[in-house]
Amino acid sequence: MEEKNCFPCDEPIIDKAPPCPLQCHSPKCKAYMSRAPVDTSKKPIVWILGGPGSGKGTQCEKIIAKYGFTHLSTGDLLRAEVKSGSDRAKCLTSVMERGELVPNDVVLELLKEAIIAHAEQAKGFLVDGYPREKSQGIAFEKTIAPVTVIIYFEASSETLTKRLLGRAASSDRADDNEDTIKLRLKTFLDNNEQVLSQYPDKLRRINAETSVDQIFDEVQKILDPIVAKAAAAN
Ligand code: ADP
Ligand code: MG
């Protein structure tokens, strides 16, 4: 087999799955040890949280249109990975076929790789619907970079159920029926408060029961100053 060295640190590449995002995964890799994949003073990382149906997808589209942020949805990343046919994809497919949850470190690795892939040209990152558990948030900040701000879309279970049933009528998402919705809401509520309570200083709550435009006004009040500060640092 051909010997290859890691580009940033010149350590030999170690054959390990998932591969080191900086290629080598060597404990001696200086880049891997010391460099966050993205400088968040220039490229803010925003977590978009809220129950299923709270409008995360809707608001993310508007945020991308205005600010040009790169959208990272773990569901989309997993689906894309499965389609890619990589060794990791084969492993993921078999996990999913057994009906088990994809391990946290795989999801995190996919997020990190996506951030590295867009680190140069991105204006900032929108992480949609992640972390779902307290431990995922801790792992993200430890492995990738500190989060800049967390936007939480707050809505009652009744509103969420109503909207999801509305979405079900016009989409082919198999998980938008009443029983699955109840289950998803419960899982969400069980974990959510624990996630939010970790970040009292970075958390911004928005009432998501109002109109799409009213919500986006609130989003802009949060993001405008953050984007201005990042622009000044670039
Ligand atoms: P999420 O990504 O958080 O699950 P979506 O953005 O997919 O939520 O929105 C779920 C459903 O609710 C969609 O049908 C969407 O059109 C609708 N919706 C989103 N925001 C609002 C809002 N502010 N008012 C009413 N309906 C909304
Ligand atoms: Mg969504």
Side-chain angles (χ1 to χ4, degrees), residues 39 42 51 72 75 81 84 94 96 98 107 110 112 118 133 142 149 159 162 187 203 206 222 224 229:
D39 176 354
K42 296 179 180 163
L72 301 175
E81 181 67 17
S84 77
S94 72
M96 288 159 152
R98 290 197 301 271
V107 178
L110 288 172
K112 184 167 180 173
H118 294 94
E133 296 166 354
K142 202 162 138 192
V149 72
T159 303
K162 209 165 72 196
T187 312
L203 180 63
I206 294 182
I222 296 166
D224 279 351
K229 202 169 153 198

Side-chain angles (χ1 to χ4, degrees), residues 9-10 12 20 33 52 79 121 154 187 191-192 196 202 208 224:
C9 73
D10 212 40
C20 165
M33 284 188 344
R79 282 186 284 273
Q121 77 275 30
E154 213 159 18
T187 312
N191 288 308
N192 184 54
L196 297 186
K202 293 182 176 177
D224 279 351

Side-chain angles (χ1 to χ4, degrees), residues 48-61 128 153 159-160 162-168 170 173 176 184 207-215:
I48 302 292
L49 298 181
S54 61
K56 299 183 295 295
T58 307
Q59 295 296 324
C60 278
E61 271 181 34
D128 176 354
F153 295 122
T159 303
L160 297 180
K162 209 165 72 196
R163 286 194 196 156
L164 288 174
L165 287 172
R167 182 169 77 183
S170 61
R173 271 185 67 147
D176 281 348
R184 276 160 69 203
N207 173 10
E209 306 255 354
T210 60
S211 75
V212 170
D213 288 337
Q214 277 171 300
I215 297 169

Side-chain angles (χ1 to χ4, degrees), residues 86-171:
S86 68
D87 284 347
R88 185 168 54 190
K90 287 175 198 141
C91 172
L92 279 179
T93 308
S94 72
V95 168
M96 288 159 152
E97 276 171 4
R98 290 197 301 271
E100 292 166 15
L101 284 175
V102 174
N104 280 349
D105 56 349
V106 175
V107 178
L108 199 62
E109 211 54 47
L110 288 172
L111 276 171
K112 184 167 180 173
E113 287 172 22
I115 286 177
I116 289 169
H118 294 94
E120 285 301 316
Q121 77 275 30
K123 297 203 173 133
F125 293 94
L126 275 186
V127 183
D128 176 354
Y130 183 98
R132 299 211 180 190
E133 296 166 354
K134 187 175 158 182
S135 63
Q136 290 186 344
I138 294 169
F140 182 101
E141 292 202 294
K142 202 162 138 192
T143 327
I144 302 178
V147 62
T148 309
V149 72
I150 301 165
I151 298 181
Y152 174 58
F153 295 122
E154 213 159 18
S156 69
S157 296
E158 293 72 43
T159 303
L160 297 180
T161 309
K162 209 165 72 196
R163 286 194 196 156
L164 288 174
L165 287 172
R167 182 169 77 183
S170 61
S171 92

Side-chain angles (χ1 to χ4, degrees), residues 173-190:
R173 271 185 67 147
D175 53 354
D176 281 348
N177 65 66
E178 197 149 5
D179 286 341
T180 351
I181 287 170
K182 272 201 193 123
L183 206 72
R184 276 160 69 203
L185 277 176
K186 185 179 167 354
T187 312
F188 171 76
L189 292 170
D190 285 349

